Amino acid sequence: MNQQKPSDPTLKLRGALPLAPAPERCPAPVPERLGHFIGGEVVPGRDESLFTSYEPATGEPLCQVAAADAEEVDRAVTAARSAFDRVWGGMPGAERGKYLYRIARRIQERSRELAVLESRDNGKPIRETRDVDLPLVAAHFFYYAGWADKLDYAIPGQRVRPVGVAGQIIPWNFPLLMAAWKLAPALATGNTVVLKPAETTPLTAMMLAEILAEAELPPGVVNIVNGAGATGAALVDHPGVDKIAFTGSTEVGRIITRATAGSGKRLTMELGGKGANIVFADAALDQAVEGVIDGIFFNQGQVCCAGSRLLIEEGIAAAFLDRLKRRIETLRIGDPLDKNTDVGALNSVEQLQRVQRYIEIGRRQGAAVWQGSACPTPEQGYFVAPTLLTGVQQTDTVVREEIFGPVLSVLTFRTPDEAIRKANDTEYGLAASVWTEKASKLFEVAHALNSGVVWANGANLFDPASPFGGMRHSGFGREGGIAGLWPYLEIQ
Ligand code: NAP
Ligand code: MG
């Protein structure tokens, strides 16, 4: 054995150069109180509207948040209108693009802080926020920055112009990424925005407000109003809003669709899902196991496009489940800020109870409930162990309804036709995965699925250049790619 001598230069180097701090050690102070961002100013909001936001991993209070009422929403919309008329709507695209590039770079520079805040606020592991959410957030701004001066080529032969003031309402599962998906295309196309974050995850949006100010984005181009459903409803109802972009539950999507009917407001809806993961016998099975786990457990299943239904070809079902269980036993559940954590906390106590309720419903309807036992689930905080429901029927509640938790319903099939029929037997149509090494089967099945997105031998893969969105009760309109520009453009 070669022993390293004390004079070995790499040893000296190691002693002399401290490693960069791990992101979870990065100081990311949580403000005691969050207000709103209106007309380029951070405003405290009304004292009487304050509510508490909790840290999912501990259940302890994290900060106080003000809720905007209709009057504050009106101030935000007025600021957005004025910024649209005065500066942003008429600014040359190349100039707007510079702001977006600046925002993208600043997000990269502050990505560690943002990742820590996101993990504390949402409950998802730092590995996810640091390695998935934040890079995608920056990538979205970079991507749409590139479109700002090329809009005349977005729809060949047509002149385009911005729609006006966009009201954007987002959920808690990807707080900053959903903000980026909404803001980047809206700003690139010359619209101004009033954004409403989810009531349980306001932190990173308000830090983004700081970044927008650092980038010297003209006041009023982006306004952020915090609050719960009533704040969202006030934004939807405001007559000064030209377009509503919503991501959230199908239920609230329906309410907004009804509320805006006849108003002339444009709508895009990204709603719920009940994604199928179809695994054929000829798939690369270990790869498929990883994909299934990524699709439903790495985000505690709090992903609209989660592969929450597993369809396995009958001949390999037992063996595949064995492998899956063995892999689940190796997952670490716990502190989202520990970089070894695979499964973090659910976002809120309501979400925790909802997921537990669904597991109970599954049990009552005859499902066998299996939860890995190798890693103990923390007692404090909103944790649910990765759960498999086997012995379920196509008609069971847990197979039909979106659970939005780390709960996987397992079904089997014998032929590609049966797989397609079962996968399509849902009111949703957001995302699906197909696992097979046979390309002809892959294409045949992928094209037959009623799903806005189909991943081939993969799961939960995103790219800003690739459109994302649903069919049927999963919504309408696309975000990402060139298609993501259209909802924000008027064609002349
Ligand atoms: P949610 O309850 O529908 O809330 C989404 C947003 O709408 C939140 O900001 C919410 O405020 C606000 N809101 C609630 N009631 C409103 C109303 N009457 N008018 C206007 N706004 C209102 O959904 P969630 O529970 O936060 O998120 C989970 C759901 O989102 C899941 O069903 C998931 O599938 C879906 N989702 C879909 C996509 C996609 O791209 N298709 C992406 C992510 C999530 P509060 O925070 O106060 O409730
Ligand atoms: Mg919170």
Side-chain angles (χ1 to χ4, degrees), residues 53-56 62-63 120-122 199-203 347:
S53 181
Y54 295 88
E55 183 158 5
L62 190 57
C63 65
R120 291 194 65 184
D121 207 14
N122 168 277
E199 68 181 293
T200 54
T201 52
L203 274 180
N347 181 244

Side-chain angles (χ1 to χ4, degrees), residues 125 127 289-290 292-300 323-334 340-344 370 372-378 384-388 406:
R127 213 183 55 204
V289 164
E290 277 315 299
V292 169
I293 299 248
D294 189 354
I296 184 78
F297 296 136
F298 284 163
N299 273 298
Q300 301 72 245
R323 285 194 202 208
L324 187 62
K325 286 178 180 173
R326 257 183 285 142
R327 177 68 177 97
I328 290 172
E329 293 284 15
T330 67
L331 298 179
R332 282 161 166 261
I333 308 159
N340 295 310
T341 295
D342 298 302
V343 183
W370 181 91
S373 56
C375 179
T377 310
V384 171
T387 305
L388 298 181

Side-chain angles (χ1 to χ4, degrees), residues 60-79:
E60 301 289 336
L62 190 57
C63 65
Q64 294 286 105
V65 190
D69 63 4
E71 195 266 326
E72 288 163 310
V73 168
D74 177 58
R75 287 217 316 269
V77 174
T78 306

